[in-house]
Amino acid sequence: MYDSLGAQTGLPRPPPNPQPNPFGNAFVGAGSGLIRGGLGAYGEKILGSSSEYVQSNISRYFSDPQYYFQVNDHYVRNKLKVVLFPFLHRGHWSRITEPVGGRLSYKPPIYDINAPDLYIPLMAFGTYVVLAGISLGLHGKFSPEALNWLFFKGLVGWFLQVSLLKMTLFSLGSGEAPLLDIVAYAGYTFTGMCIAVLGKITWSYSYYFLMPWTCLCIGVFLVKTMKRVLFVEVRSYDSSRHHYLLLFIALAQFPLFLWLCNISVNWLF
Amino acid sequence: MAKEFNVPPVVFPSGGNPSVGAAHQRHLPTAPFPPPRSANPSIPFMSFDIGSAAASTSFSAPQFAGNTIGIGSSFEDEPPLLEELGINTRQIWSKTVSIINPFRVDPNLHEDADLSGPFLFLLAFGLFQLLAGKLHFGIILGWVTMAALFLYVVFNMLAGRNGNLDLYRCVSLIGYCMLPMVILSAIALFLPQGGVGILVIAGVFVIWSTRVCTRLLVELASCGVEHRGLIAYACFLIYTLFSLLVIF
């Protein structure tokens, strides 16, 4: 089934978990040492099989996180340019695959500008929290507890974005993109929010221009990225449904930006 | 009919009278200062001689004799309190002085991590904030923990296979590089709040902290030089967060 699809679409479909999992290896190593020391062969059989079960589940949901941190300065700068000005990106948007040990896997972010990484989303989230703290302080409403609330509000926003992208994938019948990929794509929106909040700090009127602008840019970026993800992951190709869902993703950015960029002490507004 | 108890006769011997014989009765302690050792070898409280004949042959009040012998032998052998706690004040001082110069960082001093220096710095930070009217001890503790976890994850993920930063050393480095923040909070007591001066000084001190922290991290936990900018940005975020506590 996979081979026929690959021949049909012309794009090779990589398996869901190609990278080796260091967490899994450590778990199995520790587990087998304990078992050999304590129990007999029967115990090893039982516990060995369950640790393999856990390992396979972990590697199904969390692909190797080390992959997402293979970045360097050059990648970070160019990726920020792609995220914030997606219409200026001249090249293609699909990720480069390479054969690794007989399977096809994606190249790490150093070699591929379109690969997702987790460094930029983490830093963007941290920058958002710090800038939100500065914005609160300049309006005289700073308190450390308020900043803690903003941190959790940002986390909820990230979770909402992840669930939006994941629901899009599920509704098209396939949820097999690695979770950390989706978390990375969702985290890129915080770069746009940082720009908007920075505009709010420097000159408050610029916020009314910067916020819709970055919202639009992040929307375009997400649409282009998810189009490629859907193309690769989803089995059936239903053009109109794809396009409606992508449009919905782009439109849903606007309330998210309104909610998160409006820095205040309350939860809602 | 009341049952009669056998009450042993209580004998109060006159002080130091060895006429009772080899077995000594119970002795009441006389005045402790000065201890008349030569005069009263039989009083167990006064003699610190380990294994002295009087102490060993006295059966009376064995718990007192046992205690004095126990306290006597272990008290002299105990190491000094700070050494036992692992607080090396000289090392803390030399590490502190090395942080003061932001342009020349000596990573060998920070080779072995300790948490007592950071504890002192965080305590001083909290005290200066308290002088400014803000009770931030719990906030500082929580934020340092979160910041250390964040930096630990980011550093080890970026460094990959050859990253050997452990959480203890991470907290130690973050705590030591908090020194400029402590100085900032001391200076902020004298400057008007919300003014431009405090913002400029805070900016300079945050850059100082970031520079020292990045240099130490890169040289102590082996990380590639190509990741220096990325690590520096993470440290910058952490120290900006702490400077917000001081400024606002």
Side-chain angles (χ1 to χ4, degrees), chain A residues 143-190:
Chain A
S143 77
E145 290 81 14
L147 203 58
N148 291 341
W149 273 114
L150 272 173
F151 174 77
F152 284 115
K153 188 172 159 186
L155 275 184
V156 168
W158 198 342
F159 176 73
L160 283 177
Q161 183 86 300
V162 167
S163 54
L164 170 76
L165 294 177
K166 202 74 174 162
M167 285 308 131
T168 310
L169 281 181
F170 270 138
S171 72
L172 288 172
S174 143
E176 285 184 22
L179 182 64
L180 285 183
D181 272 13
I182 306 290
V183 168
Y185 293 136
Y188 283 124
T189 62
F190 282 102

Side-chain angles (χ1 to χ4, degrees), chain B residues 4 63 106 119:
Chain B
E4 279 201 345
Q63 68 273 24
D106 187 9
F119 176 71

